[in-house]
Amino acid sequence: DAEITQSPRHKITETGRQVTLACHQTWNHNNMFWYRQDLGHGLRLIHYSYGVHDTNKGEVSDGYSVSRSNTEDLPLTLESAASSQTSVYFCASTQTFGNTIYFGEGSWLTVV
Amino acid sequence: GNSVTQMEGPVTLSEEAFLTINCTYTATGYPSLFWYVQYPGEGLQLLLKATKADDKGSNKGFEATYRKETTSFHLEKGSVQVSDSAVYFCALSDTGRRALTFGSGTRLQVQP
C-alpha cells in the first residue's frame, strides 16, 4: 500500500545543532507539506512544495528550510535548533486541490 | 488570509450523548472543508470532507454540512462512544494554496 513515512519518530537534540526530519511518500503526489503541532495552536504550516525544485514558506517558516529534489521526499531542516522548536512535526501530501491530504505519523522533537 | 475557528475544548460527554463541535471559517473563494481526527499518540486521519456549498460529508456516524451563508462546517454525531475520544480538527483548503489551514483543535472526552 502507498504510504507516507517520517523519520525519526522521536529525537532529542541540543540547542544550536542542525537537525533534519525526513518525509517520504509513495503515492507520487506533487504537493507536500510540513506542519508543526503545538498545544493551543493546532497545526501550523511551516513549508510546502508543489513539485520538484519548488518550495514555499508557510506561516511559521523562520529557522526551517526544505528542499525538493525528487517527487517522493521533502526533508525538513532546522538550521540551528532552538528550544522554541520543541514540537511535534507532521508531513503531509496530496495530489490535487480538494482531495484528501494524507499525514505521516509525526516526529516528536525535543530541543534541550 | 484564511482562518478557521473552533469551539474551545475539552468537551466532555457521556456515552450515547449528542455531539456538536462548532467550526467557522474565513476564506476567499470557495474552499474545501475537512474534519480530521487525531487519536492519542497518532497522526491525523481524515474523518470527512465537503467540497462545495450545501454538501454534507459523513463517516462513522459523524456528519457536517458546508454552509456558505454562515461560513460554518459544524461536526455532529447522534450518539458518541468512548472510542470517539480524540482531538478533532476543522480545516480548509483553498484553490490558491492547496495547503490546509487548521483550527486549534477540540478535545473530546467521552465517559462510559
Side-chain angles (χ1 to χ4, degrees):
Chain A
D1 287 343
E3 60 182 5
I4 180 166
T5 55
Q6 295 183 227
S7 64
R9 295 291 315 281
H10 299 271
K11 185 173 182 65
I12 301 174
T13 191
E14 295 178 343
T15 301
R17 289 192 177 268
Q18 184 181 80
V19 175
T20 296
L21 306 179
C23 175
H24 179 81
Q25 51 96 4
T26 58
W27 286 294
N28 212 35
H29 287 166
N30 287 326
N31 307 303
M32 295 185 71
F33 315 92
W34 273 104
Y35 290 88
R36 60 177 288 174
Q37 182 179 23
D38 303 288
L39 194 64
H41 291 280
L43 281 83
R44 293 179 290 176
L45 185 65
I46 305 171
H47 281 286
Y48 57 103
S49 168
Y50 291 153
V52 176
H53 302 311
D54 175 76
T55 61
N56 305 279
K57 294 181 178 181
E59 59 184 301
V60 291
S61 60
D62 287 348
Y64 302 94
S65 63
V66 294
S67 61
R68 190 86 181 272
S69 58
N70 58 53
T71 301
E72 296 80 14
D73 299 291
L74 186 70
L76 177 71
T77 298
L78 288 67
E79 304 293 345
S80 177
S83 57
S84 60
Q85 295 176 308
T86 293
S87 187
V88 184
Y89 292 86
F90 287 97
C91 181
S93 73
T94 187
Q95 183 55 27
T96 58
F97 163 71
N99 278 8
T100 300
I101 295 182
Y102 295 92
F103 284 81
E105 294 186 329
S107 294
W108 275 252
L109 177 68
T110 301
V111 182
V112 298
Chain B
N2 297 336
S3 66
V4 176
T5 302
Q6 289 182 237
M7 62 188 291
E8 292 283 331
V11 174
T12 302
L13 296 174
S14 298
E15 207 164 22
E16 299 184 2
F18 185 86
L19 169 70
T20 300
I21 300 178
N22 291 336
C23 171
T24 57
Y25 68 90
T26 301
T28 55
Y30 301 94
S32 289
L33 301 174
F34 303 82
W35 277 100
Y36 278 80
V37 59
Q38 184 180 32
Y39 298 103
E42 298 184 10
L44 279 76
Q45 304 173 26
L46 178 67
L47 181 58
L48 54 84
K49 70 176 184 180
T51 58
K52 61 182 186 295
D54 299 324
D55 268 2
K56 177 185 284 188
S58 61
N59 186 26
K60 299 180 182 180
F62 290 90
E63 293 183 339
T65 301
Y66 188 167
R67 301 289 189 197
K68 186 165 177 60
E69 63 277 13
T70 55
T71 61
S72 65
F73 193 55
H74 305 321
L75 182 69
E76 297 182 335
K77 187 175 184 181
S79 177
V80 294
Q81 305 300 312
V82 172
S83 58
D84 293 327
S85 298
V87 181
Y88 293 82
F89 292 93
C90 185
L92 69 82
S93 175
D94 69 25
T95 53
R97 196 169 71 170
R98 283 163 264 177
L100 286 171
T101 299
F102 284 90
S104 57
T106 302
R107 181 175 299 279
L108 171 65
Q109 299 173 335
V110 181
Q111 298 175 338

Short mmCIF file of all heavy atoms in Angstrom, two decimals, chain A residues 63-86:
data_model
loop_
_atom_site.label_atom_id
_atom_site.label_comp_id
_atom_site.label_asym_id
_atom_site.label_seq_id
_atom_site.Cartn_x
_atom_site.Cartn_y
_atom_site.Cartn_z
N GLY A 63 13.69 29.76 10.69
CA GLY A 63 14.50 28.74 11.34
C GLY A 63 14.41 27.38 10.70
O GLY A 63 15.07 26.43 11.15
N TYR A 64 13.60 27.26 9.64
CA TYR A 64 13.40 25.98 8.94
C TYR A 64 13.70 26.15 7.45
O TYR A 64 13.51 27.23 6.89
CB TYR A 64 11.96 25.50 9.07
CG TYR A 64 11.44 25.31 10.45
CD1 TYR A 64 10.73 26.34 11.08
CD2 TYR A 64 11.60 24.11 11.13
CE1 TYR A 64 10.22 26.18 12.36
CE2 TYR A 64 11.09 23.94 12.40
CZ TYR A 64 10.40 24.97 13.01
OH TYR A 64 9.89 24.80 14.27
N SER A 65 14.12 25.05 6.83
CA SER A 65 14.26 25.04 5.39
C SER A 65 13.87 23.66 4.85
O SER A 65 13.89 22.68 5.59
CB SER A 65 15.70 25.38 4.96
OG SER A 65 16.59 24.39 5.44
N VAL A 66 13.49 23.62 3.58
CA VAL A 66 13.17 22.37 2.91
C VAL A 66 13.81 22.37 1.53
O VAL A 66 14.15 23.42 0.99
CB VAL A 66 11.65 22.14 2.77
CG1 VAL A 66 10.99 21.94 4.11
CG2 VAL A 66 11.00 23.28 2.00
N SER A 67 13.93 21.19 0.97
CA SER A 67 14.39 21.03 -0.40
C SER A 67 13.59 19.92 -1.05
O SER A 67 13.15 18.99 -0.38
CB SER A 67 15.89 20.71 -0.45
OG SER A 67 16.14 19.50 0.24
N ARG A 68 13.39 20.01 -2.35
CA ARG A 68 12.60 19.00 -3.08
C ARG A 68 13.37 18.59 -4.33
O ARG A 68 13.22 19.16 -5.40
CB ARG A 68 11.24 19.60 -3.46
CG ARG A 68 10.24 18.57 -4.02
CD ARG A 68 9.49 17.88 -2.95
NE ARG A 68 8.55 16.88 -3.42
CZ ARG A 68 7.29 17.12 -3.78
NH1 ARG A 68 6.83 18.36 -3.76
NH2 ARG A 68 6.51 16.14 -4.16
N SER A 69 14.18 17.57 -4.18
CA SER A 69 15.00 17.10 -5.30
C SER A 69 14.32 15.97 -6.08
O SER A 69 14.76 15.64 -7.19
CB SER A 69 16.36 16.64 -4.81
OG SER A 69 16.21 15.60 -3.86
N ASN A 70 13.27 15.38 -5.51
CA ASN A 70 12.50 14.36 -6.22
C ASN A 70 11.06 14.44 -5.74
O ASN A 70 10.75 15.19 -4.80
CB ASN A 70 13.09 12.96 -6.01
CG ASN A 70 13.15 12.58 -4.55
OD1 ASN A 70 12.15 12.65 -3.83
ND2 ASN A 70 14.32 12.19 -4.08
N THR A 71 10.19 13.66 -6.35
CA THR A 71 8.77 13.73 -6.01
C THR A 71 8.48 13.14 -4.63
O THR A 71 7.61 13.61 -3.93
CB THR A 71 7.95 12.98 -7.07
OG1 THR A 71 8.17 13.55 -8.35
CG2 THR A 71 6.45 13.03 -6.75
N GLU A 72 9.23 12.11 -4.24
CA GLU A 72 8.87 11.33 -3.06
C GLU A 72 9.27 11.95 -1.73
O GLU A 72 8.68 11.63 -0.70
CB GLU A 72 9.53 9.94 -3.15
CG GLU A 72 9.07 9.08 -4.30
CD GLU A 72 9.75 9.44 -5.61
OE1 GLU A 72 10.76 10.17 -5.59
OE2 GLU A 72 9.26 8.99 -6.66
N ASP A 73 10.28 12.83 -1.72
CA ASP A 73 10.86 13.26 -0.45
C ASP A 73 10.81 14.77 -0.25
O ASP A 73 11.05 15.55 -1.18
CB ASP A 73 12.32 12.81 -0.38
CG ASP A 73 12.46 11.30 -0.44
OD1 ASP A 73 12.05 10.64 0.53
OD2 ASP A 73 12.95 10.80 -1.48
N LEU A 74 10.54 15.17 1.00
CA LEU A 74 10.60 16.59 1.38
C LEU A 74 11.22 16.67 2.77
O LEU A 74 10.51 16.70 3.79
CB LEU A 74 9.21 17.23 1.38
CG LEU A 74 9.21 18.75 1.62
CD1 LEU A 74 9.79 19.47 0.41
CD2 LEU A 74 7.80 19.25 1.92
N PRO A 75 12.54 16.66 2.88
CA PRO A 75 13.17 16.76 4.20
C PRO A 75 13.07 18.17 4.77
O PRO A 75 13.18 19.16 4.04
CB PRO A 75 14.64 16.39 3.91
CG PRO A 75 14.84 16.70 2.45
CD PRO A 75 13.51 16.49 1.79
N LEU A 76 12.86 18.22 6.09
CA LEU A 76 12.77 19.49 6.81
C LEU A 76 14.03 19.65 7.65
O LEU A 76 14.35 18.76 8.45
CB LEU A 76 11.53 19.50 7.71
CG LEU A 76 11.35 20.73 8.59
CD1 LEU A 76 10.96 21.94 7.75
CD2 LEU A 76 10.29 20.46 9.66
N THR A 77 14.72 20.78 7.50
CA THR A 77 15.96 21.02 8.24
C THR A 77 15.78 22.19 9.19
O THR A 77 15.29 23.25 8.79
CB THR A 77 17.13 21.29 7.28
OG1 THR A 77 17.34 20.13 6.47
CG2 THR A 77 18.40 21.61 8.05
N LEU A 78 16.18 21.97 10.42
CA LEU A 78 16.30 23.04 11.40
C LEU A 78 17.76 23.43 11.41
O LEU A 78 18.63 22.65 11.79
CB LEU A 78 15.87 22.58 12.79
CG LEU A 78 14.38 22.35 13.04
CD1 LEU A 78 13.84 21.17 12.26
CD2 LEU A 78 14.12 22.18 14.52
N GLU A 79 18.04 24.63 10.96
CA GLU A 79 19.44 25.03 10.74
C GLU A 79 20.22 25.09 12.04
O GLU A 79 21.37 24.67 12.11
CB GLU A 79 19.48 26.39 10.03
CG GLU A 79 18.71 26.44 8.72
CD GLU A 79 19.34 25.57 7.63
OE1 GLU A 79 20.50 25.14 7.80
OE2 GLU A 79 18.65 25.30 6.63
N SER A 80 19.62 25.63 13.08
CA SER A 80 20.23 25.76 14.40
C SER A 80 19.11 25.64 15.42
O SER A 80 18.41 26.61 15.72
CB SER A 80 20.95 27.11 14.51
OG SER A 80 21.49 27.27 15.81
N ALA A 81 18.94 24.44 15.92
CA ALA A 81 17.75 24.14 16.73
C ALA A 81 17.65 25.04 17.96
O ALA A 81 18.66 25.34 18.63
CB ALA A 81 17.78 22.68 17.16
N ALA A 82 16.43 25.46 18.25
CA ALA A 82 16.13 26.30 19.41
C ALA A 82 15.05 25.62 20.24
O ALA A 82 14.26 24.83 19.72
CB ALA A 82 15.65 27.68 18.96
N SER A 83 15.01 25.95 21.53
CA SER A 83 14.03 25.31 22.42
C SER A 83 12.60 25.58 21.95
O SER A 83 11.70 24.76 22.17
CB SER A 83 14.22 25.79 23.85
OG SER A 83 14.12 27.20 23.92
N SER A 84 12.39 26.72 21.29
CA SER A 84 11.06 27.05 20.78
C SER A 84 10.62 26.13 19.65
O SER A 84 9.45 26.14 19.26
CB SER A 84 11.03 28.50 20.29
OG SER A 84 11.97 28.68 19.24
N GLN A 85 11.54 25.34 19.15
CA GLN A 85 11.22 24.40 18.07
C GLN A 85 10.90 23.00 18.60
O GLN A 85 10.67 22.07 17.81
CB GLN A 85 12.35 24.34 17.05
CG GLN A 85 12.52 25.66 16.31
CD GLN A 85 13.70 25.67 15.36
OE1 GLN A 85 14.83 25.33 15.74
NE2 GLN A 85 13.45 26.06 14.11
N THR A 86 10.88 22.86 19.91
CA THR A 86 10.36 21.62 20.50
C THR A 86 8.89 21.50 20.13
O THR A 86 8.09 22.39 20.45
CB THR A 86 10.53 21.63 22.03
OG1 THR A 86 11.92 21.59 22.34
CG2 THR A 86 9.82 20.45 22.66
#
